[in-house]
């Protein structure tokens, strides 16, 4: 019985790799922008793409009503599900295509990610103001 082919990372050529898709969302007042990167990724490159796209969505994905309540949260959940597959991989072997992406700091240690608190705090303010009678 033939063994399944081992996937190689689309960025560095290392293996093993998982076939995943990461997305980023930018919500503007009137327009929206979407970006995605898919294909097999090793642990290191997949983690780097996840962190970059998630940070982008946290900082720029909230600036329209539809983005605030639908697209940005959906994008973040889909990225969390995809990164779970990448995190199960062992450290990749030597790459053949080039250098690996640098994962950099975790998302919670990137200052840009905290821009997401602005719409959350605004929404909380609106709820509290509405419940207190509009002072």
């Amino acid at each position: 019985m033939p063994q399944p082919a081992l996937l190689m990372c689309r960025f560095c050529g290392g293996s093993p790799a998982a076939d995943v898709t990461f997305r980023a969302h930018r919500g503007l007042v009137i327009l929206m922008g979407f970006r995605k990167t898919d294909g097999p990724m090793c642990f290191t490159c997949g983690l780097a793409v996840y962190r970059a796209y998630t940070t982008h969505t946290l900082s720029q994905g909230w600036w329209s009503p539809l983005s605030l309540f639908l697209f940005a949260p959906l994008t973040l959940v889909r990225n969390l599900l995809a990164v779970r597959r990448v995190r199960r991989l062992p450290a990749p072997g030597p790459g053949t295509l080039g250098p690996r992406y640098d994962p950099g700091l975790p998302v919670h240690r990137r200052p840009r990610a905290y821009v997401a608190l602005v719409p959350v705090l605004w929404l909380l303010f609106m709820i509290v103001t509405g419940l207190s009678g509009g002072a």
Side-chain angles (χ1 to χ4, degrees):
M1 174 182 260
Q3 292 194 351
L6 197 59
L7 293 176
M8 291 175 44
C9 178
R10 67 176 285 182
F11 299 111
C12 70
S15 63
D19 196 15
V20 293
T21 301
F22 292 108
R23 292 169 163 68
H25 174 71
R26 175 185 289 181
L28 303 171
V29 175
I30 297 175
L31 303 171
M32 286 182 240
F34 299 90
R35 184 175 14 164
K36 78 174 186 172
T37 299
D38 54 4
M41 295 180 215
C42 69
F43 174 83
T44 307
C45 294
L47 195 58
V49 173
Y50 162 75
R51 288 177 177 176
Y53 279 18
T54 299
T55 302
H56 176 86
T57 300
L58 285 170
S59 67
Q60 298 182 14
W62 305 97
W63 305 111
S64 76
L66 204 53
S67 295
L68 177 63
F69 295 108
L70 182 64
F71 291 113
L74 191 63
T75 299
L76 294 172
V77 168
R78 291 177 86 174
N79 283 350
L80 279 173
L81 294 174
V83 81
R84 288 176 57 200
R85 294 184 59 209
V86 169
R87 285 193 170 136
R88 285 188 234 142
L89 296 171
T96 58
L97 298 178
R100 287 197 168 83
Y101 283 179
D102 178 13
L105 294 172
V107 173
H108 71 279
R109 293 192 51 211
R110 296 176 183 215
R112 272 184 63 208
Y114 289 97
V115 174
L117 291 177
V118 172
V120 171
L121 292 174
W122 175 78
L123 186 62
L124 191 60
F125 172 77
M126 297 301 282
I127 291 171
V128 169
T129 304
L131 291 177
S132 67

